[in-house]
Amino acid sequence: MTAAANPILEIDQVTLAFGGVKALNGVSFEVAPGSITSVIGPNGAGKTSLFNTISGFYRPTAGHIRFLGEDITQRPAPQRAKLGLARSFQNIALFRGMTVLDNIKLGRHCHLHTGVLDALFYYGKARREEVRLRADIEERIIDFLEIDHIRNAPVAALSYGLQKRVEMARALAMQPKVLMLDEPVAGMNREETEDMARFILDVREEWGVTILMVEHDMGMVMDISDHVVVLNFGEVIADGTPAAVQGNPEVIRAYLGSGDVEELRRKLHGEVEA
Ligand SMILES: Nc1ncnc2c1ncn2[C@@H]1O[C@H](COP(=O)(O)OP(=O)(O)OP(=O)(O)O)[C@@H](O)[C@H]1O
């Protein structure tokens, strides 16, 4: 895909080194507003490092990250979340002893007025208005993700697929402009994968949220993405539409080198249960 005139997110020559290891080396790509952009690559390619750098858990050794035109490279993770960059985690990061609803409420936390001065000056009508707005958003999310029946269940009691859905609900409660999903269908069976793919498409359609995801499930990536970025050894080796990327010889070689190519082929041809 050609770069949008006004990308919502720009990754510009980002390098991340751990000692002598360059997990990312001059990575550049753009995310168009309203797109579903996926980052793929063999194990160890740098996908998680990239996600952690974009969301602010790591500070890049060089390069810049711009969100809505603003350079956010030096901004800490909570500020990025508040600006509208929300993420889920590869290993579910929910409060397992808490209910589904309480976990979703925590997603709103980044927008709450919690400072001492805020607490002094922020009360009465405005506060009641915020409480009402929050409840509305929570209800919309619960309805949208079809989790009404489990709203009071502790997260630990839920199936893996439902936990992933709750994690998405919590990220949506941040009212993000860009939702970053770290392996949203990892460990899911085919039915759960199809449900999640539908939710991701609907989040984009109904909530107008741009999606940036890292995912190993090639079938799912190629089905729902507008734009695919392929990493290998910390560098972008291909960047384009799913069709362009699938036919790119360097991509095939990268997966060949990793031993993943047979799996890639089978998944691309839908021969493997997710
Ligand atoms: N905290 C760290 N300290 C040192 N090296 C790291 C650290 N995190 C990642 N690396 C190295 O950076 C490189 C990229 O790793 P990363 O986890 O980002 O890849 P990945 O594409 O997400 O892999 P996977 O698909 O297996 O999750 C690897 O060589 C890895 O060993």
Side-chain angles (χ1 to χ4, degrees):
M1 188 165 92
T2 52
N6 287 309
I8 193 164
L9 188 64
E10 292 172 76
I11 315 304
D12 183 9
Q13 291 295 317
V14 166
T15 293
L16 176 72
F18 295 107
V21 179
K22 275 193 178 163
L24 301 171
N25 190 11
V27 169
S28 295
F29 65 92
E30 295 182 350
V31 176
S35 68
I36 297 179
T37 298
S38 295
V39 178
I40 64 170
N43 290 333
K47 305 179 294 295
T48 304
S49 301
L50 176 66
F51 246 47
N52 284 335
T53 309
I54 296 174
S55 58
F57 286 93
Y58 293 149
R59 207 54 53 84
T61 319
H64 295 272
I65 296 165
R66 283 181 282 273
F67 180 54
L68 292 166
E70 183 191 339
D71 192 326
I72 59 164
T73 319
Q74 300 306 323
R75 284 199 184 240
Q79 279 187 24
R80 296 183 198 203
K82 200 164 182 170
L83 285 173
L85 200 54
R87 73 170 286 181
S88 73
F89 290 84
Q90 193 169 346
N91 302 309
I92 294 169
L94 293 166
F95 293 93
R96 294 173 55 77
M98 287 168 57
T99 66
V100 167
L101 184 59
D102 286 341
N103 269 281
I104 295 172
K105 282 181 188 293
L106 275 174
R108 288 291 300 158
H109 186 71
C110 73
H111 291 296
L112 291 184
H113 296 251
T114 48
V116 176
L117 280 177
D118 282 336
L120 278 175
F121 292 107
Y122 189 73
Y123 57 88
K125 195 160 171 261
R127 179 157 181 79
R128 279 197 301 279
E129 180 61 16
E130 180 176 291
V131 168
R132 195 186 56 74
L133 184 70
R134 283 176 58 195
D136 277 359
I137 292 164
E138 284 153 19
E139 288 313 310
R140 263 187 76 201
I141 291 169
I142 286 171
D143 200 40
F144 170 70
L145 287 172
E146 299 165 12
I147 49 179
D148 189 35
H149 59 298
I150 51 159
R151 67 163 64 213
N152 295 315
V155 163
L158 303 177
S159 70
Y160 182 76
L162 276 177
Q163 289 190 26
K164 284 288 225 189
R165 220 187 288 176
V166 175
E167 211 193 7
M168 189 181 208
R170 189 178 61 180
L172 270 182
M174 293 181 176
Q175 292 184 277
K177 296 185 177 78
V178 172
L179 179 58
M180 298 174 60
L181 299 170
D182 195 352
E183 300 203 21
V185 303
M188 286 189 178
N189 62 33
R190 170 155 280 185
E191 199 188 331
E192 290 170 332
T193 299
E194 283 172 3
D195 282 348
M196 183 54 88
R198 181 170 54 86
F199 285 126
I200 293 171
L201 285 167
D202 288 349
V203 166
R204 189 256 299 266
E205 276 326 298
E206 291 179 28
W207 297 65
V209 175
T210 303
I211 307 284
L212 176 62
M213 70 174 171
V214 162
E215 183 50 63
H216 276 287
D217 186 318
M218 292 300 164
M220 200 273 239
V221 165
M222 298 303 171
D223 268 359
I224 72 168
S225 307
D226 306 299
H227 176 196
V228 180
V229 178
V230 189
L231 286 183
N232 195 25
F233 294 114
E235 297 186 0
V236 175
I237 59 164
D239 178 0
T241 61
V245 158
Q246 278 175 58
N248 183 315
E250 211 177 331
V251 175
I252 306 283
R253 257 199 312 277
Y255 277 89
L256 255 180
S258 76
D260 288 350
V261 75
E262 273 314 310
E263 197 189 344
L264 171 69
R265 279 204 186 109
R266 278 180 293 146
K267 279 185 173 163
L268 286 175
H269 291 95
E271 292 166 19
V272 162
E273 289 275 315

